[in-house]
Amino acid sequence: MRKVAEGAEADIYEGRLLGIDVIVKRRRRKPYIASGLETDLRLHRTRNEARIIGVAKAHGINVPPVLMVGLDTIYIGRIDGEPLSSFLLHAAPRERARIFADAGEALRKLHDLGVAHGDYTPANMLVDGKHQLWVIDFGLAVQSASVEDKALDVLLLKRAINAPNYNAFLKAYSENGSVRPVLLKLADIERRGRYQTRSLSELVRRQD
Amino acid sequence: MAVLGIESSAHTFGAGVVENGAVLSNTKAMYRIESAGMIPSRAADTHSRNAARVVRSAMKQAGIGFDDITAIGYTKGPGIGHCLRVGMLTAKTLSNTLGVPLYPVNHALAHIEIARHLSGFRDPLALYVSGGNSQILGMVSEPSRHYNVYGETFDIGVGNMLDNFARAARLNPAWGSSVARLAAGGHYIHMPYTVKGMDFTFTGLLTCAVKMLSEHKPSDVAFSLQETAFAMLAEATERALLLTRRRNIVACGGVAQSGRLASMLRAMAAQHDSKFFAAPNEYNADNGAMIALVAEKMRNAHVRVPERELTVMQKFRVDAVRLWW
């Protein structure tokens, strides 16, 4: 097992287990957080993440398989792909639109299941060799998500990508009427005073 | 070449003098918050009564005369309109009388810049936490140099959340430190913890904590509320630190005066071989020196401000400000 990355809450290791390439995600102890809360977070999130990946997989969403779950450790099948954020740097516009349509469909399916992802950004999506989209990192996911939780998924992605990509995403996401309350909530959140003035980077992003 | 800065975005009217990045003076007078919270018009009245005295004492403390002032900065926003206007008028009057240029300063930017200045870090990740704001920021150079907001609150600022709770628990102002005192010796109770990537929300937590007051020991509720809120901020900051690959963190703004928050952030930074800095309380509370510091940077960068921009702006986002330095 080789440590490949350090996330905000977990250390990520890569290795082989019984002939399968695996990713091991182990939640770090955070001694600076009150111990009750710290244990709550670490153990709850591990269980929660494994459970939600299972639910998503059972409903045909492209998520990596969970192989094994410990108290604070998850063993996940490794997906051979690159992060969407780096895929975007070299993909043609049509390719990008298609991948964001897949991202829209995946999020709609998750939301229809009552699940919010919690950090739905290009950093948490992979594109494999067949240009298939995989959704990863369900560490912040919520199983019985409120409409606001779902709207924040959309808002987070909206802020992280440019307008054409967002439009491709939105078209697929809102294909059937099920997410209408989410989009109404999103409009509501965006009307909150502090977000009305657009930032420099956002203004530029709208133009590309 | 001294620069005078005037701050009046909320309950503090502050004046400070800065020369070549060195703070020569920093004085203030505060509107006394009663149990009803802050009444904008009354706070503004208090500021108008105090303005001349505070400016004079800043000059005296700095040991300079009005002739030594070469530029003036004031807080343009974000803040309370009534209060901002008093500062703006004071600054405009002085600038016209003395015939020196006037610079509108973003309040959040001033907090971050003075913390960065005192820390000596070139390009830190900044956690700005105050009553109305809670943001995680860092400087970026595209499309032009400015502070990008990596994450922020989706509803209310962490300071207002603590204030609201403190009023529900009938504590005395200043509420943040009253909550901290009440929290001492408390035990953890589970509360909603809402982090979305690098963003977070506080209203769910607040509602839950206020409800719990009727069934649990107040000290346990205060402890859990404070621990949960600060852990959320620390986690979102940690994610931004790793994502942006920065090695330094500064905390600034009123809530950065909290010793508990600072200790959490320092320990988190240490886990990633990063350094943490919080400015002395004098600069985390609202103050005039930070406004003077930014005005001096604007002056040195030869920023030209058209007359029509010399206004107040209650919702003035920090990521809309171009940095010319």
Side-chain angles (χ1 to χ4, degrees):
Chain A
M1 293 282 159
R2 180 168 68 88
K3 186 165 170 179
V4 288
E6 219 170 69
E9 31 162 11
D11 294 330
I12 313 287
Y13 301 85
E14 240 177 53
R16 279 179 80 78
L17 195 74
L18 303 172
I20 304 173
D21 285 331
V22 293
I23 297 280
V24 181
K25 180 170 178 179
R26 182 187 197 124
R27 288 195 157 72
R28 266 194 309 279
R29 277 177 193 276
K30 294 183 176 179
Y32 50 90
I33 293 179
S35 69
L37 171 59
E38 199 265 347
T39 324
D40 238 26
L41 280 177
R42 199 156 35 88
L43 307 191
H44 167 80
R45 281 183 176 176
T46 306
R47 265 198 319 268
N48 187 60
E49 181 170 15
R51 190 184 331 115
I52 290 179
I53 293 178
V55 170
K57 191 136 203 83
H59 288 83
I61 300 166
N62 263 354
V63 292
V66 175
L67 306 172
M68 209 158 77
V69 187
L71 266 185
D72 54 7
T73 313
I74 303 188
Y75 294 73
I76 304 169
R78 196 171 90 86
I79 304 298
D80 195 13
E82 65 173 324
L84 176 57
S85 38
S86 68
F87 175 80
L88 291 176
L89 299 176
H90 59 78
R94 273 188 56 168
E95 223 11 65
R96 273 183 252 159
R98 201 190 54 75
I99 217 81
F100 276 105
D102 288 351
E105 195 190 330
L107 191 63
R108 171 164 48 78
K109 283 185 183 166
L110 279 174
H111 285 181
D112 285 348
L113 289 170
V115 171
H117 182 277
D119 195 6
Y120 203 66
T121 59
N124 286 329
M125 297 173 207
L126 296 178
V127 181
D128 69 12
K130 293 180 199 149
H131 287 195
Q132 283 219 44
L133 183 84
W134 295 80
V135 182
I136 59 167
D137 197 351
F138 285 77
L140 297 178
V142 183
Q143 188 157 26
S144 312
S146 63
V147 178
E148 172 131 354
D149 286 329
K150 296 176 185 175
L152 291 178
D153 274 350
V154 180
L155 182 58
L156 241 59
L157 185 67
K158 184 178 183 178
R159 288 200 328 196
I161 64 183
N162 69 21
N165 290 345
Y166 178 67
N167 290 339
F169 158 84
L170 196 60
K171 192 153 171 271
Y173 175 71
S174 53
E175 204 173 82
N176 62 32
S178 62
V179 296
R180 200 176 133 75
V182 179
L183 295 175
L184 289 174
K185 189 70 179 181
L186 174 68
D188 194 36
I189 296 173
E190 287 185 301
R191 269 199 299 274
R192 288 175 193 165
R194 69 175 79 232
Y195 304 107
Q196 286 185 358
T197 346
R198 295 235 172 90
S199 68
L200 282 174
S201 44
E202 212 170 318
L203 283 174
V204 166
R205 228 183 281 140
R206 307 260 148 218
Q207 289 156 11
D208 25 270
Chain B
M1 298 296 277
V3 177
L4 173 69
I6 292 173
E7 151 66 30
S8 68
S9 63
H11 54 44
T12 302
F13 188 97
V17 176
V18 161
E19 189 164 22
N20 297 325
V23 176
L24 302 186
S25 69
N26 202 11
T27 60
K28 64 178 175 183
M30 280 167 75
Y31 165 72
R32 227 185 112 224
I33 295 179
E34 311 285 337
S35 54
M38 186 159 20
I39 300 162
S41 57
R42 296 220 182 128
D45 285 347
T46 309
H47 291 344
S48 6
R49 276 196 299 277
N50 290 334
R53 182 171 59 81
V54 173
V55 170
R56 264 194 223 101
S57 77
M59 306 296 293
K60 194 173 166 200
Q61 203 186 86
I64 59 168
F66 280 107
D67 293 345
D68 300 310
I69 297 292
T70 57
I72 295 174
Y74 74 95
T75 307
K76 176 172 177 169
I80 297 165
H82 290 71
C83 300
L84 289 168
R85 266 179 212 106
V86 176
M88 176 189 72
L89 283 174
T90 310
K92 273 193 176 172
T93 309
L94 280 168
S95 141
N96 283 331
T97 315
L98 302 174
V100 297
L102 185 59
Y103 297 99
V105 174
N106 180 292
H107 180 84
L109 178 72
H111 270 297
I112 302 164
E113 281 290 290
I114 197 146
R116 182 170 76 97
H117 177 73
L118 295 171
S119 71
F121 301 148
R122 197 180 54 80
D123 181 22
L125 187 73
L127 174 66
Y128 170 50
V129 273
S130 65
N133 289 288
S134 299
Q135 297 176 315
I136 299 165
L137 318 96
M139 246 191 281
V140 295
S141 51
E142 296 296 331
S144 53
R145 212 159 144 80
H146 69 285
Y147 275 100
N148 182 47
V149 177
Y150 292 110
E152 66 187 312
T153 173
F154 277 129
D155 44 35
I156 57 174
V158 62
N160 286 355
M161 193 271 292
L162 293 171
D163 291 352
N164 265 298
F165 170 77
R167 281 199 291 272
R170 302 183 186 283
L171 305 181
N172 300 321
W175 291 303
S177 46
S178 295
V179 174
R181 271 194 301 279
L182 180 59
H187 296 283
Y188 174 69
I189 320 167
H190 177 76
M191 284 189 185
Y193 180 103
T194 321
V195 171
K196 305 278 174 187
M198 294 177 281
D199 299 296
F200 31 84
T201 64
F202 289 117
T203 41
L205 176 60
L206 172 62
T207 310
C208 170
V210 170
K211 274 190 193 154
M212 279 183 175
L213 275 173
S214 55
E215 296 160 22
H216 294 270
K217 268 171 67 187
S219 66
D220 290 350
V221 180
F223 173 79
S224 310
L225 173 75
Q226 187 178 280
E227 289 297 312
T228 306
F230 291 172
M232 282 164 53
L233 290 169
E235 181 185 344
T237 308
E238 183 173 15
R239 194 160 287 122
L241 181 77
L242 294 167
L243 188 85
T244 65
R245 298 168 194 278
R246 284 187 166 81
R247 302 311 295 265
N248 300 307
I249 304 174
V250 297
C252 56
V255 183
Q257 297 175 69
S258 156
R260 180 64 185 125
L261 178 62
S263 79
M264 270 194 202
L265 292 168
R266 183 170 292 112
M268 181 273 283
Q271 278 198 340
H272 300 290
D273 298 322
S274 300
K275 289 199 187 99
F276 171 78
F277 177 86
N281 285 349
E282 179 188 354
Y283 301 109
N284 280 330
D286 289 351
N287 66 92
M290 66 181 190
I291 305 297
L293 181 84
V294 173
E296 185 177 56
K297 286 180 185 228
M298 291 171 84
R299 201 261 325 266
N300 292 349
H302 307 290
V303 177
R304 281 177 197 280
V305 185
E307 179 74 32
R308 67 186 144 77
E309 283 180 21
L310 295 173
T311 53
V312 300
M313 203 170 165
Q314 296 194 54
K315 287 169 180 158
F316 184 14
R317 279 188 67 91
V318 63
D319 46 8
V321 182
R322 183 164 179 180
L323 306 183
W324 298 89
W325 51 92

